[in-house]
Amino acid sequence: MPTKLRESGKKWIKNPDTGRMTNKWKLEHHYIKTASQKELFEELNKHQTKPKVKQKIRNELTRRGIKIIKRVKTND
């Protein structure tokens, strides 16, 4: 099974004519391999992201061939 970034959820489908919600929905999965590089770096830099998820993100970025350089955040 592919590695997930966060839990799967439901995405409600709107009626294209009226814009109102229908009783239809589809599952939305959040896999790490489908996430954009920008989204992965945002999750990696959040202080509330768990270390286990941060390690998964680091593994995915190295799999893509991206080098991670740690820098101290300054207020400049």
Side-chain angles (χ1 to χ4, degrees):
M1 179 126 193
T3 309
K4 289 192 176 185
L5 183 59
R6 58 182 95 85
E7 292 183 8
S8 298
K10 292 181 182 180
K11 183 176 181 181
W12 295 98
I13 300 173
K14 290 185 177 182
N15 186 341
D17 298 330
T18 61
R20 297 178 68 188
M21 293 293 183
T22 61
N23 286 335
K24 299 176 185 175
W25 53 270
K26 70 178 210 176
L27 282 176
E28 190 173 57
H29 300 288
H30 304 283
Y31 297 119
I32 285 188
K33 66 185 334 185
T34 60
S36 67
Q37 181 178 340
K38 181 181 176 186
E39 184 180 352
L40 289 175
F41 275 113
E42 286 174 359
E43 286 289 324
L44 187 63
N45 291 328
K46 285 184 186 175
H47 70 279
Q48 65 222 35
T49 306
K50 294 182 179 181
K52 181 178 182 179
V53 177
K54 285 186 177 187
Q55 185 59 45
K56 289 179 183 181
I57 293 170
R58 281 189 219 105
N59 290 343
E60 175 64 22
L61 290 172
T62 55
R63 185 187 72 81
R64 293 183 187 186
I66 300 168
K67 298 226 179 209
I68 301 171
I69 301 171
K70 295 182 182 180
R71 295 187 179 170
V72 179
K73 190 173 184 180
T74 59
N75 293 333
D76 291 341

